[in-house]
Amino acid sequence: MSGGVKFGIVVFPGSNGDHDAYYACKKVLHQDAVFLWHKESDLQDVDVVILPGGFSYGDYLRCGAIARFSPVMSSVTRFAAQGGPVLGICNGFQVLLESGLLPGVLLRNATLRFVCRHVHVRVENAATRFTRACRPGEVLTIPIAHGDGNYFTDPETLKRLEDREQIVFRYCDAEGAVTAEANPNGSIENIAGIINEAGNVLGMMPHPERASDPALGWTDGQSVFRSLLEEFLSRATGEPAGLAGDSLTSAGRGRR
Amino acid sequence: MYRSRIRVTLRPSILDPQGKAVGHAIQALGVTAVRSVRMGKFIELMVDGTTEDEARAATEEVCRRLLANPVMEDFTYELEKM
């Protein structure tokens, strides 16, 4: 694959998923990828912005609260307002919530413990540009690693999210059943990822970039990146869906 | 110059697992009179300003925009002329 899509990965002091995201874009998907330092406001003409996992600014005050005021976030907010795709992973999801690009908050895990393990998430909406490579209801196995992933919002916002199919991923068991036991952090309605109304900003607690390289044995996370690729390729060729991503699909689906 | 002493607390509707854990520890201490625990943050600012209104405006702006997240937190504060 030649470089069709240019990914920009924001680097805050304390980011630790930035290199994983870069690796997934560059070495697994063979796309162009650049790091965007938090003090820069130039997004270098990237097609997709990724806010990676980590502990931006030491998680001081509240997770993601300080990152929101960095110069790069003003540019990311403008980019999102113009329809540019933004993917927030883990701490990146927290930054999106604090920035007001997505509704709600992430509270301390109900267990008070940091959780680091693989979980199952069900694709609730496979029509987004982040999930179009998935089947509706498909169960993905992706790792989480967080202490503050307990999604919460008021009942009106929750209803709006449900009505507009903005809940993209829910924690579930291996069979796809959304149960209390499958909920690792106490998130309301087992929410693991949501998208904004316009459909271009997605936040998720699981780390798709850490389940991308077949060498590591887990590739379900590729779906998120392949979805973004498909979107751009179909736009470039003017075709509606296209690209099953042959070479990537065989790698991505080969595991079980 | 004013000293602004700010308390940021979780809204009553928000579960406070940290407060709960501390509550359990208090029970383990054997202090049975404590019924519940809620945890929050205490923040102290030194604010330039000749009138209380100026200090109040500055304090409220930082509370609203940064120190408290209105989705889950409330804030209160006291001003003291230095």
Side-chain angles (χ1 to χ4, degrees):
Chain A
M1 305 257 328
S2 62
V5 175
K6 185 174 178 182
F7 289 88
I9 296 119
V10 174
V11 183
F12 298 109
S15 292
N16 65 14
D18 46 350
H19 282 266
D20 294 355
Y22 181 88
Y23 181 89
C25 298
K26 189 98 174 179
K27 306 291 184 188
V28 179
L29 290 154
H30 307 292
Q31 302 300 305
D32 200 2
V34 292
F35 289 114
L36 303 169
W37 183 235
H38 70 117
K39 285 191 171 164
E40 305 290 332
S41 46
D42 177 11
L43 297 186
Q44 300 182 36
D45 292 320
V46 297
D47 300 305
V48 180
V49 170
I50 298 179
L51 302 176
F55 300 85
S56 59
Y57 301 90
D59 274 354
Y60 294 162
L61 194 61
R62 296 179 305 276
C63 304
I66 314 278
R68 168 192 156 201
F69 292 96
S70 59
V72 76
M73 281 309 296
S74 308
S75 304
V76 171
T77 302
R78 263 197 310 278
F79 178 78
Q82 289 159 3
V86 179
L87 168 63
I89 300 165
C90 197
N91 186 229
F93 185 10
Q94 294 162 339
V95 174
L96 289 174
L97 296 170
E98 283 286 342
S99 307
L101 290 172
L102 290 173
V105 288
L106 288 155
L107 303 171
R108 181 66 42 89
N109 290 348
T111 57
L112 282 179
R113 289 173 187 277
F114 190 94
V115 194
C116 182
R117 61 179 162 88
H118 280 80
V119 296
H120 305 290
V121 293
R122 193 171 74 189
V123 179
E124 303 289 291
N125 182 347
T128 78
R129 62 170 87 181
F130 301 89
T131 51
R132 55 182 285 171
C134 304
R135 294 185 311 277
E138 186 174 346
V139 176
L140 306 177
T141 305
I142 304 183
I144 53 169
H146 61 248
D148 299 75
N150 180 354
Y151 183 79
F152 176 82
T153 191
D154 59 83
E156 299 81 55
T157 308
L158 183 63
K159 181 162 192 317
R160 210 163 54 236
L161 288 173
E162 278 172 343
D163 290 350
R164 299 182 189 180
E165 297 187 67
Q166 289 175 250
I167 300 167
V168 177
F169 300 111
R170 284 187 214 261
Y171 300 109
C172 65
D173 64 19
E175 277 70 50
V178 174
T179 64
E181 294 72 40
N183 187 338
N185 51 32
S187 284
I188 195 165
E189 298 292 327
N190 282 45
I191 288 173
I194 57 169
I195 196 164
N196 65 343
E197 234 182 292
N200 65 311
V201 178
L202 177 92
M204 62 191 293
M205 286 315 290
H207 285 270
E209 79 284 13
R210 294 182 188 164
S212 290
D213 188 343
L216 296 178
W218 304 88
T219 53
D220 285 4
Q222 267 192 21
S223 303
V224 173
F225 299 99
R226 277 192 298 111
S227 297
L228 285 162
L229 276 185
E230 281 188 19
E231 168 85 9
F232 273 94
L233 291 177
S234 69
R235 278 188 187 186
T237 57
E239 286 167 16
L243 185 88
D246 294 335
S247 61
L248 288 166
T249 305
S250 55
R253 304 286 164 189
R255 188 165 50 81
R256 277 169 297 167
Chain B
M1 179 80 81
Y2 283 81
R3 173 156 58 200
S4 179
R5 305 180 115 157
I6 300 160
R7 278 182 196 80
V8 178
T9 50
L10 285 173
R11 296 191 142 190
S13 59
I14 303 283
L15 193 73
D16 177 14
Q18 194 179 197
K20 245 187 180 163
V22 171
H24 289 146
I26 290 173
Q27 279 178 3
L29 275 181
V31 182
T32 53
V34 177
R35 292 291 283 273
S36 69
V37 182
R38 301 283 287 173
M39 310 243 325
K41 296 188 184 91
F42 175 79
I43 300 150
E44 199 170 271
L45 309 178
M46 298 303 285
V47 188
D48 281 335
T50 46
T51 69
E52 198 174 307
D53 280 351
E54 284 174 10
R56 192 174 294 283
T59 301
E60 292 202 5
E61 189 182 355
V62 289
C63 284
R64 269 202 317 274
R65 295 185 60 199
L66 177 63
L67 298 180
N69 181 333
V71 181
M72 59 173 173
E73 293 167 327
D74 293 318
F75 66 86
T76 57
Y77 63 90
E78 295 136 27
L79 290 175
E80 185 189 351
K81 190 159 175 53
M82 301 306 287

